[in-house]
Amino acid sequence: MNKILGLLTLGSVMVISSTARADQLLFVAYPPPNHTTTSERIFLIGTAPPAGEVAINGQKIERSQAGHFAPSFPLQIGENVFTLRYENQELQIKVTRTLGGPQVPEKVGFAEGSLTPAANVARMPGELICFSAVAPANAEVSVQIGNLTFPLSSQPLTTTLPPNSAVLTGQNEPISQSAGQYQGCIAAPATAGNWGQPKFLLTLNGQTISEQGPGTIRILSPGQLATAQVSADAGVARTGPSTDFSRLTPLPKGTQAAITGREGEWLLLDYGGWIKSEETQIIEGSVPPRSLIRGVTSRQVDNWTEVLFPLQVPVPVNVQQGNRSLTLTLYNTTAQTDTIRLGDNSVISRFDWQQAVPGQVQYTFNFKSQQQWGYKLRYEGTTLVLSLRNPPPNLRNTQPLAGVRILLDPGHGSPEDLGARGPNGYPEKDVTLVVSKLLRDELVKRGATVYMTREGDEDLYPQDRVSMIEQQEPNIALSIHYNALPDSGDAMNTKGIGTFWYHPQAQPLAVFLHDYLVQRLKRPSYGVFWNNLALTRPTVTPSVLLELGFMINPEEFEWIVNQEEQKRLATTLADGISKWVARSQ
């Protein structure tokens, strides 16, 4: 299951049950027994012979011509029981709905797990330190820290954002919650040291209770900051101190930055990104890393144009791709630049730089082609190397894809990583492999060199697949999947082809293939999405994840498993790739 969650594909919710047996007339593929969810609705996916009727809780349900079904039902808080009947066979499914997050307690007290900061934190002098709690309405709540006591204000109406998956089901409206939220902030004192563990006080109807906060608070000394050096190959930098926050440009191994804050296992680096402490080595007693930069040079290495930035220390970086440009920002850096050598090559048409603000130097590369084919970042000692991928060779006079290297990743695989399930239990992992092999053969006919992440039921984690992309450095990487939905989705009526991209260099490919398949195959459109998926994050190539239909939709499932339609899909997709490559060179 962890491999599927790591992929973050929509099919991840459906790893359950076995394929329907011949002697089993009524079969339910989802939800699994004793399923628990926070959703307000649930869909029941399954099948029975087309002749006859299927009823759920005495209500006849709609089914496809093949006998498949996927109706949705509302859920009440607590246990919900669904009784399914076909002829003389009966199945019972229990689904428990729980409320997400801390709930306002009915008695005097704080909601379990609601006191924040929830972990040990460190802040710079003068920075705000914020506290929050969930408690009964009309209570008086305050925080005692050191020799200070200050109140937390009642928030009469708070707004909670829906999960990111709500975009996929069209339910992306903010959610209003009732009173019971208490919040307040205080500036960190000027004196460095351990400020201790906060105590939360609550008074209601003449009764006062207290509860110790779960984390301690420490004030850092600006003159004695530790330095973090990235020890992972690519340190995952984020906008906040948890994996719920968005990713920033990965920090190459060796990157150094001063630590200006901590929250649990997360470190705040001086340029603004957060990183897990386990991905770093701590250097105590050093001065905050700062660097000058002077000359910049370039060189050609195989299929890459490498630009070298000599620095005194490896500094944090950021990459921003534009329509025909790439901007590299070096933090904690000051320019002393008079000379740059960047000769003519097949990628760059113009090169600009500026000291954008004190401590930040920006380099902008304008490209000859609108399509960007990939980039890499690494440190060689203290020299930053930015590698820009050259376009694939144009050998179209022989075959449409001659000289083009393509990696195909059949989604999921192995007995533990089944992916989404059709109404009869047929697993996504099998159909992705069938279609990927058909597509491979069509691409080879057109002259492409094709790599496969798996040829059978290999046990691959998402990072294994990503590593293959980074090692093979193909010109295009496609991850082949079929779709499912979160519990709140409409499995009966949602269908269509969807494509997912992360880096701007992959967006044109995602849009083109989506539109080409929808138009040529006359299939419904689910849409084109920017999405933070493991198989869309490689930078070395345009990498796109395809969701070619919904396994859980009773009608679309029949199209998905139709062998003739699978061949037609593979041929059409290969044609689309050929046309995109031709127009992108």
Side-chain angles (χ1 to χ4, degrees), residues 224-516:
Q224 297 179 334
L225 297 177
T227 294
Q229 178 172 289
V230 176
S231 56
D233 288 335
V236 180
R238 294 185 180 271
T239 57
S242 83
T243 54
D244 291 334
F245 287 91
S246 300
R247 289 172 177 253
L248 300 172
T249 299
L251 300 178
K253 186 175 184 178
T255 300
Q256 295 183 17
I259 300 170
T260 58
R262 294 176 184 252
E263 191 156 328
E265 61 181 343
W266 292 84
L267 308 177
L268 174 60
L269 305 182
D270 55 11
Y271 84 108
W274 290 81
I275 189 170
K276 273 188 176 181
S277 58
E278 65 185 29
E279 297 187 10
T280 69
Q281 296 174 339
I282 307 302
I283 305 173
E284 299 286 352
S286 62
V287 298
R290 298 290 184 268
S291 181
L292 299 174
I293 186 165
R294 293 174 181 163
V296 176
T297 59
S298 69
R299 65 192 181 195
Q300 292 294 315
V301 178
D302 296 328
N303 297 316
W304 296 85
T305 297
E306 294 189 342
V307 186
L308 287 73
F309 303 84
L311 298 161
Q312 294 170 299
V313 295
V315 299
V317 298
N318 178 69
V319 170
Q320 183 69 43
Q321 289 180 300
N323 188 31
R324 298 181 73 123
S325 66
L326 181 148
T327 298
L328 171 70
T329 301
L330 306 182
Y331 295 94
N332 302 333
T333 302
T334 301
Q336 285 187 348
T337 301
D338 284 332
T339 305
I340 291 177
R341 182 176 183 176
L342 194 65
D344 185 35
N345 59 72
S346 61
V347 179
I348 303 168
S349 65
R350 197 180 78 248
F351 166 77
D352 305 306
W353 75 272
Q354 63 172 332
Q355 182 89 46
V357 297
Q360 292 184 26
V361 184
Q362 287 185 343
Y363 299 88
T364 299
F365 299 87
N366 298 281
F367 298 120
K368 294 179 178 178
S369 168
Q370 184 168 332
Q371 177 58 44
Q372 298 179 47
W373 293 94
Y375 72 89
K376 298 185 292 186
L377 283 171
R378 71 180 188 276
Y379 274 108
E380 291 183 353
T382 62
T383 295
L384 177 68
V385 181
L386 169 65
S387 302
L388 301 172
R389 184 74 174 273
N390 297 336
N394 190 343
L395 303 175
R396 292 199 303 274
N397 59 334
T398 56
Q399 291 176 294
L401 294 175
V404 179
R405 296 151 50 92
I406 300 174
L407 183 140
L408 300 179
D409 170 47
H412 305 282
S414 85
E416 290 75 33
D417 186 3
L418 305 179
R421 307 299 298 275
N424 64 358
Y426 184 68
E428 177 189 359
K429 75 180 180 75
D430 288 352
V431 69
T432 61
L433 186 59
V434 169
V435 170
S436 294
K437 288 181 176 180
L438 291 171
L439 176 58
R440 174 196 60 192
D441 296 343
E442 291 294 330
L443 293 172
V444 170
K445 288 179 185 177
R446 291 158 177 78
T449 300
V450 181
Y451 307 93
M452 300 274 286
T453 59
R454 67 181 181 97
E455 298 275 357
D457 269 0
E458 288 88 343
D459 191 17
L460 297 174
Y461 285 82
Q463 192 53 47
D464 297 328
R465 302 164 191 260
V466 170
S467 295
M468 291 182 189
I469 295 175
E470 293 173 343
Q471 291 167 7
Q472 295 293 346
E473 296 183 354
N475 300 114
I476 294 172
L478 298 178
S479 190
I480 308 299
H481 287 259
Y482 287 87
N483 228 336
L485 287 169
D487 287 344
S488 59
D490 184 353
M492 195 71 181
N493 296 304
T494 305
K495 60 178 66 173
I497 290 171
T499 58
F500 296 77
W501 59 277
Y502 183 72
H503 296 290
Q505 65 191 18
Q507 184 181 15
L509 176 59
V511 172
F512 184 88
L513 291 182
H514 169 270
D515 293 347
Y516 193 85

Side-chain angles (χ1 to χ4, degrees), residues 131-193:
F131 302 83
S132 66
V134 174
N138 303 319
E140 293 182 3
V141 178
S142 60
V143 171
Q144 192 177 83
I145 182 79
N147 57 0
L148 297 175
T149 300
F150 61 96
L152 300 187
S153 301
S154 174
Q155 310 298 308
L157 188 64
T158 59
T159 300
T160 300
L161 295 177
N164 279 296
S165 61
V167 174
L168 305 171
T169 58
Q171 302 164 342
N172 199 36
E173 293 296 322
I175 305 165
S176 296
Q177 294 186 336
S178 59
Q181 303 283 332
Y182 295 82
Q183 299 176 0
C185 300
I186 188 172
T191 304

Side-chain angles (χ1 to χ4, degrees), residues 16-17 24 26-37 42-47 54-57 61 69 71 73-75 78-85 89-97 487:
I16 43 92
S17 191
Q24 188 176 3
L26 178 61
F27 175 80
V28 176
Y30 190 83
N34 303 315
H35 181 57
T36 298
T37 181
I42 190 73
F43 43 70
L44 277 66
I45 299 172
T47 192
V54 173
I56 299 181
N57 290 347
I61 61 171
F69 56 83
F73 295 92
L75 293 175
E79 186 178 90
N80 299 259
V81 178
F82 299 95
T83 301
L84 296 83
R85 178 175 289 276
Q89 185 180 356
E90 183 176 287
L91 295 176
Q92 195 171 80
I93 303 292
K94 293 182 180 180
V95 178
T96 301
R97 179 188 168 195
D487 287 344

